[in-house]
Amino acid sequence: MEAISKNFFLYLSNNKLLDRFAKRFGAKFGADKIVGGETFTHAIPIIQQLNHDGLEVTVDHLGEFVDCEEESRDRAGECIRTIQQIASGGLRSEVSLKLTSLGLDISRDLVIENLSLILKEAEKHEITVTIDMEDSSRCGETLDIYRELKEKYPNLGTVVQSYLYRSDEDLDALNDCDPYLRLVKGAYKESPKVAFSEKKLVDDNLKHLIKKNLLNGHYTAVASHDDRIVEYTKALAEEHSIPREQFEFQMLYGMRNQMQKDLVEEGYKVRVYLPYGEDWYGYFMRRLAERPANIAFAVKGIFSK
């Protein structure tokens, strides 16, 4: 039943008609519980409160699969303005972005041009930028671009997904560039030709990747709401005397709030992934697919006044 539910919401996440409907009627149906508003200005008070509570933040201007050069440049401009507002407001926040929003599906030169402008501004303000990972068809090119720009911009991170067979080899290939990696399970619908379909195999591979990246000495963001993954990471760090400055936990805004607070009280760094923007629909559906309990957010949103 859980697999059927996941496939259903992943199917809905790619429905263009429903996406247009969602943009028209705004972040209703519970989306406002996990999205920080339609503009970065709306998100600022949330970031300030999270910072006050001892939490770090990474913000993501929602939107992907841009097929217009002008729009990709607009997206880059939005990222640059966000970085400037983070700096001027003294906010403890990084920035996450998707390469398809910067023109990956249009031209490699265009996405590198846009990303380079963002990274120059981020470097000026000592703000880290993380390239979110998308579906497997874009994984190789995303990591190639990451490697190319990481040489010039050390404040650049990216994501590796444990449900992909290739991820262990990707860690080996990235090892020499001192990567800043966010390690996740993965949220896209993938073919069994490229991805593990069994949850246990995905979880086991995530543990393997966490251990490998940490023991290689690289900064690691463990992005999971799974108690077992969190406890595994804590035990691993204790066993191998890995300093807490070498890793952090990352969780989505609006999810596992008590766990976030508990980890902060224990002295761990916790970063909240806070998306904002009008293109919230696909993100929201993937969150519902990841965890059936998230559906409660949607039901509450529909019936609340």
Side-chain angles (χ1 to χ4, degrees), residues 76 79-80 83 95 97 102 111-131 145-146 148-150 152-157:
C79 284
I80 290 169
I83 289 166
V95 173
L97 53 81
L102 301 180
V111 74
I112 289 178
E113 177 187 342
N114 283 331
L115 184 54
S116 295
L117 291 173
I118 293 167
L119 291 172
K120 285 176 185 176
E121 190 66 27
E123 185 178 51
K124 188 190 306 182
H125 300 291
E126 298 182 341
I127 291 173
T128 296
V129 175
T130 297
I131 301 172
I145 290 172
Y146 172 72
E148 179 178 337
L149 292 179
K150 183 69 164 63
K152 187 174 183 181
Y153 300 101
N155 61 322
L156 182 62

Side-chain angles (χ1 to χ4, degrees), residues 76-88:
E78 170 68 22
C79 284
I80 290 169
R81 289 188 295 273
T82 296
I83 289 166
Q84 292 168 342
Q85 288 179 276
I86 288 170
S88 64

Side-chain angles (χ1 to χ4, degrees), residues 7-24:
N7 289 336
F8 175 68
F9 284 108
L10 287 175
Y11 168 77
L12 291 183
S13 73
N14 292 316
N15 189 294
K16 303 300 182 184
L17 179 62
L18 290 176
D19 182 48
R20 289 194 295 271
F21 177 88
K23 286 181 182 178
R24 180 179 177 185

Side-chain angles (χ1 to χ4, degrees), residues 241-258:
S241 300
I242 298 168
R244 293 188 180 184
E245 293 76 21
Q246 192 187 324
F247 67 97
E248 64 184 52
F249 295 104
Q250 292 191 4
M251 298 184 188
L252 300 172
Y253 172 64
M255 299 186 191
R256 301 305 306 268
N257 295 339
Q258 189 58 52

Side-chain angles (χ1 to χ4, degrees), residues 42-93:
H42 292 147
I44 288 175
I46 298 173
I47 299 172
Q48 291 171 331
Q49 184 60 53
L50 290 168
N51 287 169
H52 179 267
D53 294 340
L55 296 156
E56 309 301 310
V57 177
T58 184
V59 293
D60 173 24
H61 182 216
L62 292 169
E64 50 196 297
F65 311 129
V66 169
D67 57 8
C68 167
E69 183 174 328
E70 182 179 357
E71 185 179 354
S72 77
R73 296 189 190 281
D74 287 343
R75 294 279 182 174
E78 170 68 22
C79 284
I80 290 169
R81 289 188 295 273
T82 296
I83 289 166
Q84 292 168 342
Q85 288 179 276
I86 288 170
S88 64
L91 304 174
R92 300 201 313 274
S93 179

Side-chain angles (χ1 to χ4, degrees), residues 33-35 50 55-56 58 60 132 182 184 187 222-225 249-258 260 270-275 283-284 286-288 290-291 294 297:
K33 307 296 189 299
I34 59 174
V35 175
L50 290 168
L55 296 156
E56 309 301 310
T58 184
D60 173 24
D132 284 342
R182 177 193 301 151
V184 305
V222 178
S224 176
H225 304 111
F249 295 104
Q250 292 191 4
M251 298 184 188
L252 300 172
Y253 172 64
M255 299 186 191
R256 301 305 306 268
N257 295 339
Q258 189 58 52
Q260 295 174 19
V270 180
R271 189 175 305 279
V272 176
Y273 186 97
L274 178 67
Y283 170 84
F284 185 45
R286 286 195 292 274
R287 300 296 77 78
L288 295 182
E290 282 178 338
R291 191 166 174 256
N294 295 340
F297 286 110

Side-chain angles (χ1 to χ4, degrees), residues 165 190-195:
Y165 302 144
E190 299 286 0
S191 163
K193 294 181 179 179
V194 299

